[in-house]
Amino acid sequence: MKSSEPPIVVGSGITGASIMMMKPEVRLFDKARYPGGRVTTKEFQDMGIRFDIGATMFRDQMEVNWLGKTSSYNLFEIWNSNHVSVETKPIYDIHHHYPVYGMESIVKGMLRDHPTSQSMTLKSIIQNKEDGWNCDFYSNTNQRMEQVSSKEVIFTLPIPQILEIFKHSESNVYLEKWIQFLETYNDYRKTLVSLFHWKNWRPDLETFGLNQSAKYPVNTVLERGEDWEYQSWEFIKYPIQNDHGSTLLVQFSAMFSESHFDYWMDADKKPTPFYEEMLTSTLKEKWQAPNPDGIWNHRWKYAQAQMPLLGREGALQLDSEEFLEWKSLCKETGIMVLGDWLFGSKIERIIGGVYFLIHNGIL
């Protein structure tokens, strides 16, 4: 995609931040109040609590299979080459890391001082007479519509949100081609999240086979398919002010999340009495934990794309007819659709994938 105009990027999650890190001339618009997306770190400052509610770590290595060859990339080398510094600590082994100030600092580091337009919701996109695109945004800050134009538009939103924008736009052959192409990949899993906080209790993690004082700390449990699928003792990663307190983050399975999604929390993100009883009884069963002093719930409607075009694990698979079709569609329409539906949900696959596309003149 070549253009003399700065491209428009819609969405400021990890994909949008990766693009801006390597192409600072782009204009980035996002409907959220702050950048981050699934790479978001929450803080309860009065209690000194920090925790990650989406991605919780990353791997520093990734590979790409293209034209019959395998290329390897290192995230720290990519960041260094773009003058980005992210302070991290290892976890599990020498290749897995987490930022000491939370996963959100990855996005902040890549965006640096580059300006972004937040609280901007894209409502429709219309092809203009110059064969470019007029993007009609609603500014939640100014409470008015604003139009931005460019020959190139890059979407990093979840596919359901992109399809909604396209279907609400004026009928266009290019948009119809994208709608038809993306429908195949429009399958996302929901994920429910809970954070539990104790002011004066900590688990004896070693009795559960976890070692927080090891060279590469182990503070999580992953049981794929179980209701309490991923459990992370966040106070090990981000020590809280109270030396006697603890915090546990839980990401629930796809089946559990689908079943309980609609009634998961009230307006203050607190569990209803039914879920509070369910959660506290399971904490006692799993961790011999007393009732927590606080429970905070969250839910991701589009947590992960189920069928990434370039594969879910391992090397990005670019030697495929689907990738060639995607690349041809981007060139033909002046629209590029990126995100975890393309790369997969892993941080390293997204950052390394964006770097590869830019390095090879595809993006």
Side-chain angles (χ1 to χ4, degrees), residues 201-270:
W201 178 82
R202 286 192 173 185
D204 184 359
L205 294 181
E206 292 190 1
T207 64
F208 297 96
L210 303 180
N211 188 352
Q212 66 190 69
S213 59
K215 181 179 179 181
Y216 304 114
V218 178
N219 68 302
T220 65
V221 174
L222 176 61
E223 298 175 325
R224 294 190 184 279
E226 297 295 321
D227 287 351
W228 290 44
E229 189 171 65
Y230 177 81
Q231 302 170 68
S232 173
W233 289 97
E234 293 287 281
F235 76 97
I236 305 300
K237 293 168 62 180
Y238 312 120
I240 61 178
Q241 294 175 0
N242 177 5
D243 292 337
H244 304 289
S246 60
T247 50
L248 173 67
L249 177 84
V250 179
Q251 296 179 359
F252 296 87
S253 70
M255 185 175 295
F256 181 94
S257 299
E258 185 73 36
S259 301
H260 301 280
F261 191 84
D262 291 336
Y263 307 102
W264 183 236
M265 59 192 189
D266 63 20
D268 295 320
K269 296 201 169 187
K270 303 294 183 183

Side-chain angles (χ1 to χ4, degrees), residues 121-148:
T121 302
L122 182 59
K123 294 296 186 179
S124 64
I125 177 171
I126 303 171
Q127 192 172 20
N128 58 37
K129 295 180 180 179
E130 288 75 33
D131 292 327
W133 296 97
N134 295 334
C135 296
D136 291 326
F137 290 93
Y138 179 76
S139 170
N140 293 290
T141 301
N142 300 323
Q143 297 185 334
R144 67 184 184 192
M145 296 297 296
E146 298 182 18
Q147 188 173 91
V148 186

Side-chain angles (χ1 to χ4, degrees), residues 169-184:
S169 301
E170 183 178 298
S171 181
N172 177 279
V173 63
Y174 289 155
L175 299 185
E176 289 299 326
K177 287 184 177 183
W178 270 115
I179 290 171
Q180 184 176 359
F181 181 81
L182 293 174
E183 286 286 3
T184 303

Side-chain angles (χ1 to χ4, degrees), residues 6-9 11-29 35 82 84 107-118 154 156 338 354 358 363:
I8 294 170
V9 177
S12 64
I14 194 73
T15 312
S18 301
I19 295 170
M20 178 160 274
M21 172 181 68
M22 293 173 254
K23 295 174 73 75
E25 71 275 12
V26 303
R27 294 170 291 171
L28 195 152
F29 298 85
N82 288 277
V84 172
V107 168
K108 291 181 178 178
M110 291 194 296
L111 290 176
R112 289 179 289 181
D113 297 324
H114 300 314
T116 65
S117 299
Q118 302 297 142
I154 304 170
T156 72
L338 297 172
V354 169
I358 291 176
L363 171 55

Side-chain angles (χ1 to χ4, degrees), residues 31 76 91 113 127 160 164 173 186 211 241 250 252 258 263 269 283 287 296 301 329 334 349:
K31 69 177 182 179
F76 291 108
I91 189 168
D113 297 324
Q127 192 172 20
E164 183 179 1
V173 63
N186 187 25
N211 188 352
Q241 294 175 0
V250 179
F252 296 87
E258 185 73 36
Y263 307 102
K269 296 201 169 187
L283 285 170
W287 299 100
W296 181 89
K301 189 174 183 179
L329 198 54
R349 293 169 68 85

